[in-house]
Amino acid sequence: MRITKVLLICICCVMVAPAVWAQTANSQAKPGILGYLDPHTGAFRPVPAVAEEIAEAPAVVTFTGTVTVTLTITLKTTGLTNITCTEDVSVLDAIATGAPRILAESNTVAATGTGTTRTCKLSIPYSWGLTTQSSDNMTTTYLVFGTTGTTGLPQRTSSLSPVDTRKVPANGATTALTAAVTL
């Protein structure tokens, strides 16, 4: 009986030893890049390294303007009666110190017209405080949503992202865009 106990203790020690040896007291962290995923472009944006000295914050300059989108909608799905349109405009301000900022605006309207042709006229006036306007890009997207008046079904959605990407225009500019949509 005594040999059995000693043998059992030895077997337990042999089974536990690899698990104990696998643990290290000072394991190093795995290297990686701190950043975020831009939801509008799907691109990974690394967070800039923190400078040793605190640099003077860049001057923020306000840029204003208007983005208009005219959507001409052709209805091919039978029964759609309620059509709404949404326009989104965003800009990534690639500020030199700290994390980049995303400024976004949106507008939703009901479509006008009857029969199989509807129109949405969307307009977004913006006023953005930007530090890097000369290198910032403005992105415009749209979404068109159609339902029936009684049950809400069927539903149809059509979207395009981006409709347009361009440098942020000069102060006071109007950017006019058009698109044709089929639901």
Side-chain angles (χ1 to χ4, degrees), residues 36 46-48 92-102:
Y36 67 97
V47 173
L92 176 71
D93 188 23
I95 189 167
T97 58
R101 301 177 312 142
I102 297 174

Short mmCIF file of all heavy atoms in Angstrom, two decimals, residues 36 46-48 92-102:
data_model
loop_
_atom_site.label_atom_id
_atom_site.label_comp_id
_atom_site.label_asym_id
_atom_site.label_seq_id
_atom_site.Cartn_x
_atom_site.Cartn_y
_atom_site.Cartn_z
N TYR A 36 -7.43 53.02 -34.19
CA TYR A 36 -8.87 52.80 -34.27
C TYR A 36 -9.26 52.53 -35.72
O TYR A 36 -8.54 52.86 -36.65
CB TYR A 36 -9.65 54.01 -33.73
CG TYR A 36 -9.50 55.26 -34.56
CD1 TYR A 36 -10.45 55.61 -35.51
CD2 TYR A 36 -8.40 56.09 -34.41
CE1 TYR A 36 -10.30 56.72 -36.28
CE2 TYR A 36 -8.25 57.22 -35.18
CZ TYR A 36 -9.21 57.54 -36.11
OH TYR A 36 -9.07 58.66 -36.88
N PRO A 46 -3.67 54.65 -37.09
CA PRO A 46 -2.87 54.57 -35.86
C PRO A 46 -2.95 55.87 -35.08
O PRO A 46 -3.07 56.95 -35.66
CB PRO A 46 -1.45 54.32 -36.36
CG PRO A 46 -1.46 54.78 -37.77
CD PRO A 46 -2.87 54.65 -38.29
N VAL A 47 -2.94 55.74 -33.76
CA VAL A 47 -2.93 56.92 -32.90
C VAL A 47 -1.51 57.47 -32.88
O VAL A 47 -0.56 56.72 -32.66
CB VAL A 47 -3.39 56.55 -31.47
CG1 VAL A 47 -3.24 57.74 -30.53
CG2 VAL A 47 -4.83 56.07 -31.50
N PRO A 48 -1.33 58.76 -33.12
CA PRO A 48 0.02 59.33 -33.13
C PRO A 48 0.68 59.18 -31.76
O PRO A 48 0.02 59.21 -30.73
CB PRO A 48 -0.20 60.81 -33.45
CG PRO A 48 -1.58 60.90 -33.98
CD PRO A 48 -2.34 59.75 -33.44
N LEU A 92 -12.54 63.85 -41.72
CA LEU A 92 -11.56 63.43 -40.73
C LEU A 92 -10.52 64.53 -40.64
O LEU A 92 -9.79 64.78 -41.60
CB LEU A 92 -10.90 62.10 -41.14
CG LEU A 92 -9.79 61.62 -40.22
CD1 LEU A 92 -10.37 61.14 -38.90
CD2 LEU A 92 -9.01 60.51 -40.87
N ASP A 93 -10.50 65.22 -39.50
CA ASP A 93 -9.54 66.30 -39.28
C ASP A 93 -8.27 65.66 -38.74
O ASP A 93 -8.22 65.24 -37.60
CB ASP A 93 -10.09 67.33 -38.30
CG ASP A 93 -9.22 68.56 -38.18
OD1 ASP A 93 -8.44 68.83 -39.12
OD2 ASP A 93 -9.32 69.26 -37.16
N ALA A 94 -7.26 65.56 -39.58
CA ALA A 94 -6.02 64.86 -39.22
C ALA A 94 -5.14 65.76 -38.37
O ALA A 94 -4.04 66.14 -38.74
CB ALA A 94 -5.29 64.42 -40.48
N ILE A 95 -5.64 66.11 -37.22
CA ILE A 95 -4.95 67.00 -36.30
C ILE A 95 -3.58 66.42 -35.98
O ILE A 95 -3.42 65.22 -35.79
CB ILE A 95 -5.80 67.24 -35.05
CG1 ILE A 95 -5.22 68.32 -34.18
CG2 ILE A 95 -6.00 65.98 -34.28
CD1 ILE A 95 -6.19 68.78 -33.10
N ALA A 96 -2.55 67.27 -35.94
CA ALA A 96 -1.17 66.81 -35.76
C ALA A 96 -0.89 66.36 -34.32
O ALA A 96 -0.06 65.49 -34.10
CB ALA A 96 -0.20 67.91 -36.16
N THR A 97 -1.55 66.95 -33.35
CA THR A 97 -1.32 66.56 -31.95
C THR A 97 -2.58 65.90 -31.42
O THR A 97 -3.68 66.41 -31.59
CB THR A 97 -0.98 67.78 -31.07
OG1 THR A 97 -2.06 68.71 -31.16
CG2 THR A 97 0.30 68.43 -31.53
N GLY A 98 -2.43 64.75 -30.82
CA GLY A 98 -3.58 64.03 -30.30
C GLY A 98 -4.23 63.17 -31.38
O GLY A 98 -3.72 63.03 -32.48
N ALA A 99 -5.36 62.63 -31.05
CA ALA A 99 -6.07 61.74 -31.97
C ALA A 99 -6.84 62.55 -33.01
O ALA A 99 -7.32 63.64 -32.73
CB ALA A 99 -7.05 60.87 -31.19
N PRO A 100 -6.94 62.02 -34.24
CA PRO A 100 -7.73 62.70 -35.26
C PRO A 100 -9.19 62.81 -34.82
O PRO A 100 -9.67 62.00 -34.04
CB PRO A 100 -7.61 61.78 -36.47
CG PRO A 100 -6.43 60.93 -36.21
CD PRO A 100 -6.32 60.82 -34.72
N ARG A 101 -9.87 63.82 -35.34
CA ARG A 101 -11.28 64.03 -35.01
C ARG A 101 -12.13 63.78 -36.25
O ARG A 101 -11.75 64.16 -37.35
CB ARG A 101 -11.52 65.46 -34.53
CG ARG A 101 -10.71 65.83 -33.32
CD ARG A 101 -10.91 67.29 -32.91
NE ARG A 101 -10.80 68.20 -34.03
CZ ARG A 101 -11.57 69.28 -34.20
NH1 ARG A 101 -12.48 69.58 -33.32
NH2 ARG A 101 -11.41 70.06 -35.25
N ILE A 102 -13.29 63.15 -36.04
CA ILE A 102 -14.25 62.95 -37.13
C ILE A 102 -15.43 63.86 -36.87
O ILE A 102 -16.06 63.79 -35.81
CB ILE A 102 -14.72 61.48 -37.20
CG1 ILE A 102 -13.53 60.57 -37.51
CG2 ILE A 102 -15.81 61.34 -38.25
CD1 ILE A 102 -13.87 59.10 -37.45
#
